[in-house]
Amino acid sequence: MPEGILYGTGDIIMDLKELAKKIIPDTDLIDPDKYEDQYPERGLPKGAEVTRLAPSPTGFIHLGNLYSALADERAAHVSGGIFYLRIEDTDAKRKVDGAVESVINSLRYFGLKFDEGAETQSRTNFYGPYYQRKRVKIYRAFAKKLIEEGRAYPCFCTEEDLGEIRALQTERKETPGYYGEYARCRNLTPEEICANIDAGKPYVIRLKSMGDSNVKHTFKDVIKGEITVPENSQDIVILKSDGIPTYHFAHAIDDHFMRTTLVIRGEEWLSSLPIHLELFSVLGFKPPRYAHTSSLMKMDGESKRKLSKRKDPELSLEYYRSEGYLPVAVMKYLMTILNSGFEEWYRKNPDADWRDYNFKVEKMGKSGILFDLDKLKDISRDEISRMDPEDVYGFLAEWARDYGTEADKAHFKDKDCMLQILNLIMGTSSKKRRKDIETGLQFTQLTSYFFDDTYNPELHYAFPDEAVNTMIQTFAGLYDINDDNSAWFAKVKVAAKAAGFAAEASEYKASPESFIGSVSDAAGVLRTAITGSPNSPDLCTIMKILGTERSLKRLAAGLRK
């Protein structure tokens, strides 16, 4: 049989090119080889990586996406390469309005920006369109070429047919899929193909796999090292019945012509690796390097499990925004789980830009990555403690505007008052800042007692009512907002003595049975009346922020009836 000729069984004798025209009748497709000139090599320095984030617009991105996106961005920019955004929108039925904007805005919030791609204005945007549905002609041209080469064919199997195949494979306890004897349309004659098309039967285009699943190859994964993978034997669908490509087919073509050098993706894609390697081979393309990341895990009791959308709110990126985490704290935390060496570098370089760290994909974890929210809170507290109060105010005010209650929004309008509160909570010494603030939401809860509309105390005292009332009334009669801390505390001592507390710590230590409590216990009574809690920052300063009228009003309200 001459090469390129397909003999029919009846009057139909067609070569493969004629058959390809029948199967894909498009007249506006260009020679696939011309795309090599349209999308040339990028001309980047040796070792520069081209990476991509390629989400489907079927939902909103989560922590795992941010984790991978950060690895992509760092791999590209540390090497002097390109990080781009491609939207894989081949599944129109599942498209969610606003999903693309959500991806871009979410990553921008956390400080990640694309060099090129969908919805970006870039001087390097020569490799688009960056939406797959706008690239359909490219995919169809290559599908037609594969038919001409005898490496793809139309499949007319219905859902019922495929169900019968699955049922038979299940009964025989064989691998499910469309392959070998189960690939019913693989060897249809040109006559049968033409008759089916002329009859209007819908069809998909399948890859004619030449692989053998019993044959294994060693593949070098950038993260996991050498792994063994079988050859692909499945005749996968490459074009759906509506002419739109499947993810597998589209991504291989796009990664080649967008000149992607490194694909970082979750380890759940390892099972698809044989398919992708065969697709690159049959298309004549050099595959990119693959790096399969480990799953994000959390402790559940004494065991680890994967983070779950249903069980774990912290998987959603919206969680970090609504809670009010400092974006740079989230990124620094993710860097600690991306590369273990980052944490030590961060401790030695606390004021350096985290992007200065020499990130390496090869040093990412090979097995389940433990996500620790408490550690993130530690980093967030540390980051906020080193910020100027003006900058902290700016961040918190923006968070309150977007996520705070109406009361929160109103409180942040009084900038002078809020800066006084921040200076109190953070401390005024830049060298010795307290680390009390971890998120916007926690800050509003921590400071709710400063505002009458959010102050709702449950007053609990550990001392007799008479002593509490004497302490409060005596101090209220002495209080002067102009007192400094020393004068203020001297008046606390006077009130403490009147109420039966020790006025001096040394007195209480020498004879505790002679008093109902220490001077610090006495101050705790005032603290509880003013803030609703026995614990707070400096009470003298709190009362100055509240002012005389509000402070005395709270002391009066704190009396035991």
Side-chain angles (χ1 to χ4, degrees), residues 44-309:
L44 294 170
K46 185 178 180 181
E49 301 285 12
V50 179
T51 64
R52 44 74 165 176
L53 185 66
S56 300
T58 54
F60 299 97
I61 66 172
H62 53 71
L63 186 68
N65 301 128
L66 180 62
Y67 174 81
S68 291
L70 177 56
D72 281 315
E73 187 269 346
R74 287 291 79 209
H77 291 160
V78 166
S79 65
I82 297 291
F83 173 48
Y84 71 90
L85 174 64
R86 182 173 76 225
I87 302 300
E88 300 189 336
D89 57 346
T90 56
D91 191 347
K93 292 180 181 178
R94 296 176 59 212
K95 181 179 178 182
V96 174
D97 290 339
V100 175
E101 292 78 8
S102 174
V103 169
I104 294 171
N105 292 335
S106 293
L107 294 188
R108 184 182 294 126
Y109 177 80
F110 289 102
L112 294 186
K113 296 180 181 179
F114 297 100
D115 299 305
E116 67 179 50
E119 306 305 319
T120 66
Q121 301 297 321
S122 171
R123 59 182 178 81
T124 61
N125 267 8
F126 304 131
Y127 293 84
Y130 296 94
Y131 286 84
Q132 287 185 330
R133 292 188 76 85
K134 295 180 179 180
R135 299 171 64 84
V136 170
K137 289 182 181 179
I138 304 176
Y139 311 131
R140 291 180 66 80
F142 276 93
K144 190 172 185 177
K145 181 183 179 184
L146 291 182
I147 295 171
E148 293 171 353
E149 295 171 347
R151 292 304 308 272
Y153 62 92
C155 173
F156 300 90
C157 287
T158 63
E159 284 299 320
E160 184 179 18
D161 295 331
L162 296 176
E164 290 175 0
I165 291 171
R166 282 192 297 273
L168 185 57
Q169 290 168 336
T170 300
E171 181 183 333
R172 294 176 175 178
K173 297 182 179 179
E174 295 182 355
T175 302
Y178 201 86
Y179 62 93
E181 66 176 288
Y182 300 111
R184 296 179 180 179
C185 296
R186 183 179 173 114
N187 297 310
L188 291 178
T189 65
E191 189 173 40
E192 291 170 321
I193 291 172
C194 292
N196 284 335
I197 292 174
D198 290 341
K201 288 187 178 181
Y203 56 92
V204 299
I205 306 298
R206 290 185 181 272
L207 173 73
K208 184 178 284 187
S209 174
M210 299 301 178
D212 182 346
S213 60
N214 294 312
V215 176
K216 306 289 194 300
H217 297 284
T218 299
F219 173 82
K220 187 172 182 180
D221 185 273
V222 177
I223 295 174
K224 297 185 179 296
E226 291 190 349
I227 57 177
T228 301
V229 295
E231 289 184 349
N232 173 59
S233 62
Q234 298 276 348
D235 286 6
I236 63 158
V237 175
I238 59 175
L239 286 188
K240 294 177 281 188
S241 58
D242 60 0
I244 300 298
T246 58
Y247 163 78
H248 300 299
F249 191 53
H251 109 279
I253 292 172
D254 291 342
D255 279 340
H256 175 70
F257 287 118
M258 293 179 183
R259 305 302 175 178
T260 309
T261 64
L262 175 65
V263 173
I264 302 174
R265 61 186 185 180
E267 62 188 354
E268 66 273 13
W269 287 102
L270 276 170
S271 60
S272 299
L273 186 58
I275 293 171
H276 298 161
L277 293 178
E278 183 173 17
L279 279 170
F280 276 98
S281 176
V282 75
L283 289 166
F285 301 154
K286 178 183 176 181
R289 290 151 58 240
Y290 284 97
H292 291 88
T293 62
S294 299
S295 300
L296 292 177
M297 314 286 283
K298 73 175 293 184
M299 294 303 299
D300 193 348
E302 296 186 4
S303 60
K304 288 183 182 180
R305 64 166 173 79
K306 288 183 180 180
L307 282 174
S308 160
K309 290 181 182 178

